[in-house]
Amino acid sequence: MKIVVIGAGPGGYVAAIRAAQLGGDVTLIERENVGGTCLNWGCIPSKVLKTTAEMLLRFRRAAEFGIRVEGDVRPDLETLMARKDRVVRDQARGIRTLLDHSRVRYLQGEGFLKEGGVVEFRSPEGESIDVPWDRLILAMGSRPADLPDFPFDGERVLSSNDAFLLKEIPRSLMILGGGVIGCEFAFIFSALGTRVTLVEGLSRLLPLPSVEEGCSKVLEREMKKSKIEFMVNRTAESIEMGEDGCRVTIGPSPFCDDLKEKDKKILTRDVEKVLVCVGRKPNTEAVGLERAGVETDAKGWVRVNEKMETSVPGIYAIGDILGPSRPMLAHVASKEGLVAAQNAMGDDLFMNYRAVPGAVFTSPEVADVGLTEAGALSEGLDIRVDRVLFRNLGKAHVIGEIAGETRIVSERKSGKILGVHIVGPHASDLIAEGTLAVQNECTVRELADTIHAHPTLPEIMMETALKALDQSLHG
Ligand code: FAD
């Protein structure tokens, strides 16, 4: 079976490996670098920056931990970016080795759909080859979306990609968009010493249906403590360029009714740079989707069913090109890649989004899986929500990170765990246990009966489960 995959992000390269493992004759076409947005412009570089940001925050608290630091502690952006490039390069090399071992043919260049089961490959040198397929997997991903009044120039108005290419730490930065990427960058740049202002058009930070309002509230409190200025219910209206900075005018948000008088005031801020984090656009233009008959919505996101099949038999699509109606996350792209690859090779699998963990790498981190309280109520479920604060945990005091909480949403009668929501230290790691619980329909009784090592942060899961049984010990 000839399988062609276009795009070597976490969706495409995983799909290619799985199809090859199942005996497919696989060709993977990538126009930039293996690893896609995730490895080159997303998950990995942002977490390298976050690691340094967190170390800086720790160093600033050194005295509290009994460490005397003589002289000042300052970030060195050149070394930080060089480390980021090294981590990305090493990971890319690893992926290329995996592809070679799996006997995936890797073609560096652009792929275009043609009629009659053929993809045209164009190399950077201008060479063109027709690659025939029996099954085609589209995994072209997405890119940063700009705002009409704030076009990217790479200098004053930055995309998230541009942020990874900075040569100097900005003195001040306005971030437009308080979603996952905007909030992560706000904490990173603030720790690096930038004066950060964040503007969000909706009524809370992380205004995603998967994030509990309570988690947003905790994050807002911690943002204030970090001296990050943030505004909700507001949008940036215009920008005036100056000699060494710009003036941004901020007005009331057109997305909110019921604004308070104070939210209606027009404000201005003078900043060195603006970072636009307002969403993503699909990489689906000019690749011949229409020619092949692949259906998209009005914004260009590809339509698929639960088997990851597009409107054209034999053509599958996965990952970010499916758009924001599904979680736009690396691990979701990979899982969809596995489903598409297996189906392309003759299986009959369905993608299930019930237990998709989400992690936001702020300080503290935010993570979730399954239903929120509001989501469960809107499904008419009879639930209870139990909450335990990290300050009740010995380990949180040991590491000096007591801010935050864990919530479990469970079905009242059966005790079935429907959702877990964490804001606090290492939330992105802790959510794994919640994901296992939601995926396997565990009950709070099963979680509470599981012995957890002491002193560790996962004890908070057991404590919250005990609370849901009205048998709280420390919560
Ligand atoms: P992509 O990773 O975008 O890969 C698509 C690939 O296709 C690209 O390499 C592109 O060059 C290639 N391509 C496009 N068109 C063609 C063509 N015609 N021919 C050949 N090649 C083509 N997700 C998480 O889960 N965790 C995180 O912590 C996280 N952090 C993020 C931080 C930032 C700043 C950003 C921007 C994103 C982050 N994400 C995170 C999201 C994650 O990066 C994406 O969801 C994921 O990369 C999507 O994978 P994909 O394979 O669908 O597409």
Side-chain angles (χ1 to χ4, degrees), residues 384 386-389 392 448 462-473 475:
R384 59 181 285 167
D386 294 274
R387 181 172 80 116
V388 170
L389 303 181
N392 293 323
M462 181 177 66
E463 281 298 337
T464 317
L466 281 167
K467 194 160 187 185
L469 294 166
D470 297 317
Q471 292 174 357
S472 217
L473 290 172

Side-chain angles (χ1 to χ4, degrees), residues 17-47:
I17 291 176
R18 176 53 55 88
Q21 285 169 343
L22 295 172
D25 169 8
V26 184
T27 303
L28 174 62
I29 302 175
E30 168 57 53
R31 67 179 177 194
E32 282 183 24
N33 294 309
V34 282
T37 303
C38 168
L39 177 56
N40 299 283
W41 306 107
C43 323
I44 298 296
S46 62
K47 269 80 247 183

Side-chain angles (χ1 to χ4, degrees), residues 314-344:
I315 304 186
Y316 299 79
I318 56 171
D320 274 14
I321 48 165
L322 308 182
S325 63
R326 296 158 199 254
M328 293 172 77
L329 293 167
H331 43 282
V332 174
S334 295
K335 183 69 187 174
E336 290 168 342
L338 294 177
V339 170
Q342 300 213 181
N343 287 343

Side-chain angles (χ1 to χ4, degrees), residues 47-341:
K47 269 80 247 183
V48 172
L49 264 56
K50 190 236 182 193
T51 301
T52 294
E54 267 192 348
M55 284 176 79
L56 276 166
L57 296 177
R58 287 248 131 192
F59 272 118
R60 289 187 191 126
R61 294 175 60 192
E64 187 191 325
F65 288 83
I67 303 170
R68 209 172 295 156
V69 176
E70 317 226 317
D72 57 346
V73 174
R74 272 182 293 141
D76 167 359
L77 194 67
E78 199 182 329
T79 309
L80 167 54
M81 291 300 194
R83 175 166 187 270
K84 181 235 355 161
D85 292 341
R86 212 166 46 246
V87 172
V88 171
R89 212 174 36 242
D90 289 351
Q91 293 283 306
R93 212 174 284 142
I95 296 173
R96 287 299 298 270
T97 307
L98 291 175
L99 293 171
D100 288 347
H101 285 171
S102 309
R103 299 188 194 288
V104 171
R105 180 160 68 134
Y106 180 76
L107 297 180
Q108 183 70 53
E110 230 162 326
F112 298 89
L113 277 71
K114 284 170 80 172
E115 279 144 14
V118 169
V119 166
E120 181 190 349
F121 163 74
R122 289 185 208 154
S123 76
E125 295 75 35
E127 180 198 8
S128 161
I129 312 172
D130 278 352
V131 188
W133 53 264
D134 300 312
R135 301 283 182 273
L136 174 64
I137 302 178
L138 305 174
M140 288 92 73
S142 67
R143 61 185 189 279
D146 60 1
L147 288 167
D149 295 322
F150 294 81
F152 299 134
D153 61 15
E155 197 41 52
R156 288 269 169 261
V157 182
L158 310 179
S159 68
S160 57
N161 289 11
D162 298 323
F164 296 119
L165 300 173
L166 283 171
K167 298 266 182 295
E168 281 172 28
I169 298 170
R171 290 183 309 283
S172 55
L173 180 70
M174 175 169 295
I175 298 178
L176 307 186
V180 174
I181 297 173
C183 285
E184 287 189 6
F185 274 124
F187 280 98
I188 289 169
F189 280 106
S190 165
L192 293 178
T194 302
R195 182 166 52 79
V196 176
T197 302
L198 185 146
V199 180
E200 165 56 45
L202 298 178
S203 60
R204 61 171 171 128
L205 296 180
L206 302 179
L208 313 165
S210 56
V211 175
E212 277 287 350
E213 288 211 33
C215 292
S216 295
K217 287 277 159 293
V218 173
L219 193 71
E220 288 171 7
R221 192 184 70 208
E222 294 305 309
M223 219 180 232
K224 260 187 211 148
K225 280 196 209 157
S226 303
K227 310 240 173 332
I228 298 169
E229 183 187 30
F230 71 89
M231 310 171 190
V232 292
N233 293 324
R234 290 188 165 277
T235 49
E237 289 180 344
S238 60
I239 183 165
E240 238 176 273
M241 298 297 178
E243 265 295 281
D244 48 39
C246 46
R247 173 163 295 180
V248 182
T249 303
I250 303 149
S253 169
F255 309 119
C256 301
D257 322 314
D258 254 9
L259 288 182
K260 296 193 186 115
E261 274 317 301
K262 71 173 177 53
D263 292 329
K264 291 187 184 160
K265 261 208 238 146
I266 302 292
L267 303 171
T268 58
R269 290 288 181 275
D270 293 320
V271 290
E272 190 184 326
K273 293 183 192 293
V274 176
L275 174 58
V276 180
C277 302
V278 293
R280 310 276 303 170
K281 275 186 185 167
N283 289 331
T284 50
E285 303 114 333
V287 285
L289 291 188
E290 330 67 48
R291 202 167 32 207
V294 175
E295 246 179 52
T296 60
D297 71 11
K299 292 188 172 160
W301 305 109
V302 178
R303 290 187 208 272
V304 290
N305 61 18
E306 292 78 24
K307 294 183 185 179
M308 315 319 298
E309 295 166 333
T310 66
S311 51
V312 179
I315 304 186
Y316 299 79
I318 56 171
D320 274 14
I321 48 165
L322 308 182
S325 63
R326 296 158 199 254
M328 293 172 77
L329 293 167
H331 43 282
V332 174
S334 295
K335 183 69 187 174
E336 290 168 342
L338 294 177
V339 170

